[in-house]
Amino acid sequence: MSATYPAGEGELPGRIMSGEMAEQPAMLRRILDEGAPAIRAVAAEIAARKPRFVLLTARGTSDNAALYAKYLIEIRLGLPCGLASMSTTTAYGAKPDLKDVLVVTVSQSGGSPDLVASTRAAREAGAVTLAVTNNPDSPLAAVSEYHIDILAGPEKALPATKTYTASLLSLYLFVEGLRGGDGAAAAVLPELAEAILGRRDEVRSLASRYRFAERMVITSRGYGYPTAKEAALKLMETSYIPALSYSGADLLHGPLAMVDNISPVIAVVTDGRGGEALQPVLDRLRGRGADLFVVGPKAQVEAASAGFVLPTAGVAEEVQPILEILPLQMLAYEVTIARGQDPDAPRALAKVTETH
């Protein structure tokens, strides 16, 4: 089966993003076949140094990938893990004691000055530094002690798609390497990703529901929460629809009041403990008459007003986010096309964002 987001669609709007989405099954296979040994080697060296704490540093889409890694590290390794505030060192000049701390910086380009500066400062403060990038020749890779190449290949569309899923898989394999695992749960991903991307017509019909949406709410819990945040980012940067992402627990603490039967709510329901924890939120949303769109198992989709069934039966919960984001990437693409815009070139954005 081949994905139906082909790389050669003439000069149609969105053809670059479309082609890059289509590359994801082959890219996942490449990481598993060619990248995994190098990732395991890096993980083994870092594990031998026994880091006591992990800090993750990133921006934008990579920040959502880092959040996924935070869940992996805390759940799979039992290590405390935090998301770094780069401005504490780059703007305020703070000098924390980072001896025996692993600092992982995730960046597609590896070129943003604040990521490079904060990583350099972390290394000077005694941290073990690891860069996870799509560019082994980047400034970030140069200042880091270790580097993982996510092997996504050139990404030309401004909205990141394949670099996001490549980052997730690379981070999963790295964390599994730290615990001495083989990452076997990821072996099913390329075939399942190809099947999901082959359902383009299904997503296009769903997208017509949201062409005129004025705002959207996206929610999940556990491993699915980074997916909710990344889906919101994709919708905002491509279609310009304000999309608010919340943990299901946080949604109940106030923001639920804005939910009505007009503004769509997308729920990412991971097949596992995260989905179980989200169930009370789904019940409350249905009770409020929300226009609920579910990405998840068949039973959850059937209980909603719309949705996309994920083939997650028997798939380990910790790797499901690599599949969950795919229909939401397609949704962002199709909604943008339906609104007469070009998802390849969102206004006011650049591929490398240089923050300081």
Side-chain angles (χ1 to χ4, degrees):
M1 180 189 302
S2 62
T4 54
Y5 278 81
E9 294 192 354
E11 298 302 319
L12 294 175
R15 65 183 180 84
I16 302 175
M17 181 180 177
S18 173
E20 290 172 352
M21 285 191 291
E23 293 177 30
Q24 290 176 102
M27 178 205 69
L28 296 173
R29 290 189 184 95
R30 182 166 62 248
I31 295 169
L32 292 172
D33 294 342
E34 302 173 20
I39 294 172
R40 280 194 295 269
V42 168
E45 286 194 37
I46 292 176
R49 298 174 68 169
K50 300 186 184 313
R52 60 184 172 86
F53 191 90
V54 182
L55 279 175
L56 296 155
T57 306
R59 296 285 192 200
T61 284
S62 294
D63 198 35
N64 299 327
L67 179 59
Y68 166 72
K70 184 177 189 294
Y71 277 90
L72 286 173
I73 290 164
E74 292 181 347
I75 296 169
R76 305 289 287 174
L77 302 180
L79 280 177
C81 182
L83 298 175
S85 301
M86 282 174 280
S87 62
T88 60
T89 54
T90 60
Y92 291 92
K95 298 185 181 299
D97 178 6
L98 296 178
K99 184 179 179 181
D100 300 326
V101 173
L102 171 60
V103 173
V104 181
T105 306
V106 186
S107 171
Q108 299 156 45
S109 69
S112 185
D114 60 346
L115 294 172
V116 174
S118 64
T119 300
R120 182 186 294 111
R123 191 170 181 180
E124 292 171 353
V128 179
T129 53
L130 168 66
V132 180
T133 82
N134 196 37
N135 183 2
D137 299 320
S138 63
L140 179 60
V143 301
S144 300
E145 187 174 357
Y146 298 97
H147 177 256
I148 288 174
D149 185 351
I150 65 172
L151 299 178
E155 187 174 60
K156 297 180 180 179
L158 288 177
T161 53
K162 64 178 182 174
T163 52
Y164 179 69
T165 49
S167 296
L168 295 192
L169 180 53
S170 299
L171 287 164
Y172 167 74
L173 293 173
F174 171 68
V175 172
E176 285 300 290
L178 288 177
R179 64 191 295 269
D182 59 7
V188 299
L189 296 175
E191 182 178 355
L192 294 177
E194 195 164 34
I196 290 169
L197 289 167
R199 295 159 62 186
R200 178 175 189 168
D201 290 343
E202 183 180 338
V203 175
R204 184 182 294 120
S205 65
L206 290 167
S208 64
R209 295 167 59 98
Y210 307 122
R211 178 180 179 183
F212 299 109
E214 294 184 2
R215 71 166 183 235
M216 302 179 82
V217 174
I218 308 177
T219 188
S220 189
R221 291 203 68 179
Y223 284 114
Y225 180 42
T227 307
K229 291 177 68 67
E230 175 62 11
L233 178 60
K234 283 293 151 291
L235 282 161
M236 287 189 287
E237 70 183 357
T238 57
S239 69
Y240 317 141
I241 297 173
L244 308 174
S245 59
Y246 294 98
S247 158
D250 289 332
L251 185 63
L252 296 182
H253 284 268
L256 185 68
M258 70 178 172
V259 173
D260 52 31
N261 62 355
I262 298 175
S263 299
V265 178
I266 297 175
V268 180
V269 185
T270 303
D271 193 356
R273 294 187 182 183
E276 293 167 6
L278 190 65
Q279 190 59 54
V281 182
L282 299 175
D283 294 340
R284 290 285 298 276
L285 289 168
R286 282 190 284 264
R288 291 187 62 82
D291 178 1
L292 182 60
F293 177 102
V294 166
V295 174
K298 183 177 180 180
Q300 294 289 352
V301 172
E302 289 177 345
S305 50
F308 187 98
V309 176
L310 286 175
T312 51
V315 179
E317 183 176 359
E318 59 268 21
V319 298
Q320 289 180 34
I322 299 167
L323 302 176
E324 290 167 349
I325 192 59
L326 299 178
L328 294 166
Q329 290 175 348
M330 290 192 286
L331 183 68
Y333 173 91
E334 295 293 352
V335 168
T336 304
I337 293 295
R339 289 163 69 94
Q341 295 152 197
D342 185 357
D344 283 344
R347 63 194 181 206
L349 294 182
K351 191 62 182 170
V352 179
T353 303
E354 296 193 356
T355 47
H356 295 269

